[in-house]
Amino acid sequence: MNRKIGLADIVKGEAGLSRAVELLAAGEAVALPTETVYGLAADATNGKAVAKIFEAKGRPRFNPLIVHVADMKMAADIAIFDSLSRKLAAAFWPGPLTIVLPLRIGHKIHPLVSAGLDTVGLRMPDGLAHEVIGRLDRPLAAPSANSSGRISATTAVAVEADLGGKIPLILDGGPTSVGVESTIVKIEDGMVRLLRPGGVSVEDIEAVVNTPLLRGASEKIEAPGMLASHYAPSAAVRLDATALMPGEALLAFGSFAISGSPLATRNLSPSGDLREAAANLFSHLAELDASGASTIAVTPIPRHGLGEAINDRLARAAAPRDNPAAAK
Ligand code: TXA
Ligand code: MG
């Protein structure tokens, strides 16, 4: 079933898949689902195509994009893997882990993608995105499919609401299963540094590499939405709420001692499951935002496992909005 709203076609199934591949081969930017969030994808070797991503997102250009690959051959043509990064790829790909690696001499990635750095963030996604890259047989640059500074989209409808007027096609694969962006790590002299918590927990990575991850930005390129205010809904966000104030919508987790908001209430996971909470995070924030509440109050959320990524995104949503990159 296809439907057309605004400019973007929302397409599903085999017909959708082949249209997406056709448009990408022709140098267009297309929204498609990964297991984490929807991505706004373009051929990573085609500068004009990649420029369309920046244009649609209104993204500050100094932010490098993640490159998505279908297999290890494609990955190894782009970047230099050491034994640690091979181990991580073997353990978590396809899946929600991005590994920042040195670019290989002779690689075909357009400099706009790496923002002029000599490193590249690589990941092998699961699901429909994987299928698209395999058929296209070219790597895809894809940031999350949302305007710069706004909440990431976990459904085709959310992409349409934000970017529908700016892109030709949204491939609809249903709600994404993980719900938060990939974890980003960088390999540094045989150590692994966490640049952004995400869909693979730190505990799971540490179990594979057998050593604690380094923390904190190592150099100037601040990873992900390292911009302080990021992932921002229109409403203000108040964290660790233990009581509700007038005009507030409520975002709860598990069984909480506050009764619901008269405006709108969502529970990320009534049973207290952090995976379920991650999958619900962005759609619940968007729904509470649509209620017209001036502020979204969020009850405390545990910090272990995927709780680290959830708290990271919420802290950015709650940060003061004085950063020009987020003021849209
Ligand atoms: O789950 C995800 O990672 C989603 C889906 C679509 O794959 N993508 C995503 O992309 O979240 P984006 O562009 O919204 O966030 C990617 C972050 C950027 O903030 C960027 O700073 C960081 O990755 N990054 C990319 N390349 C890097 C590099 N060479 N060094 C350090 N950070 C890098
Ligand atoms: Mg993003």
Side-chain angles (χ1 to χ4, degrees):
M1 186 197 70
N2 298 349
R3 70 194 181 95
K4 194 172 178 110
I5 310 175
L7 285 178
D9 280 334
I10 300 187
V11 293
K12 291 186 180 174
E14 177 53 40
L17 207 69
S18 47
R19 284 255 351 256
V21 173
E22 255 170 54
L23 284 169
L24 288 164
E28 294 298 327
V30 161
L32 44 80
T34 79
E35 74 278 52
T36 57
V37 297
Y38 275 70
L40 181 55
D43 177 352
T45 65
N46 178 339
K48 274 191 188 161
V50 173
K52 291 179 186 171
I53 297 176
F54 289 104
E55 190 177 39
K57 281 185 66 89
R59 163 181 279 237
R61 301 221 168 190
F62 48 76
N63 235 0
L65 304 179
I66 293 173
V67 174
H68 299 69
V69 296
D71 51 52
M72 280 308 288
K73 159 99 178 53
M74 201 182 270
D77 283 347
I78 298 169
I80 302 167
F81 282 74
D82 63 355
S83 59
L84 205 50
S85 42
R86 276 186 199 288
K87 209 166 163 184
L88 286 170
F92 297 109
W93 284 0
L97 180 72
T98 295
I99 310 174
V100 175
L101 294 165
L103 277 162
R104 176 181 292 290
I105 291 171
H107 72 83
K108 302 266 176 14
I109 301 302
H110 194 275
L112 198 50
V113 173
S114 49
L117 300 171
D118 54 8
T119 57
V120 63
L122 276 189
R123 112 174 167 88
M124 188 190 296
D126 206 358
L128 272 185
H130 194 215
E131 181 72 27
V132 169
I133 302 163
R135 289 197 197 185
L136 183 68
D137 200 24
R138 268 180 244 165
L140 287 181
S144 50
N146 52 273
S147 305
S148 189
R150 302 312 301 250
I151 301 176
S152 298
T154 55
T155 62
V157 169
V159 178
E160 203 281 330
D162 186 353
L163 297 176
K166 298 177 176 163
I167 54 176
L169 191 84
I170 301 168
L171 180 58
D172 186 354
T176 60
S177 59
V178 176
V180 289
E181 297 86 348
S182 60
T183 302
I184 304 180
V185 295
K186 184 172 184 187
I187 309 297
E188 287 179 7
D189 304 326
M191 299 287 285
V192 184
R193 181 179 297 276
L194 178 70
L195 297 183
R196 173 176 78 180
V200 175
S201 73
V202 168
E203 292 90 329
D204 286 352
I205 296 172
E206 288 177 343
V208 167
V209 297
N210 260 317
T211 162
L213 301 193
L214 303 172
R215 302 275 189 145
S218 54
E219 41 186 287
K220 283 195 291 307
I221 353 108
E222 311 309 305
M226 282 280 161
L227 298 169
S229 160
H230 202 78
Y231 309 104
S234 302
V237 174
R238 187 167 70 83
L239 302 179
D240 295 321
T242 50
L244 206 55
M245 304 209 251
E248 287 188 334
L250 178 63
L251 184 63
F253 175 83
S255 50
F256 55 100
I258 312 176
S259 58
S261 159
L263 287 170
T265 298
R266 293 286 181 282
N267 194 318
L268 289 170
S269 171
S271 67
D273 175 349
L274 287 165
R275 283 176 193 267
E276 181 185 27
N280 285 330
L281 179 65
F282 292 124
S283 60
H284 283 195
L285 273 176
E287 286 160 18
L288 293 177
D289 207 20
S291 75
S294 58
T295 301
I296 299 169
V298 187
T299 65
I301 296 167
R303 294 181 178 272
H304 61 268
L306 290 195
E308 180 167 359
I310 297 170
N311 277 292
D312 173 80
R313 303 306 185 271
L314 284 169
R316 291 178 201 290
R321 310 280 167 80
D322 55 8
N323 189 313
K328 7 186 104 220

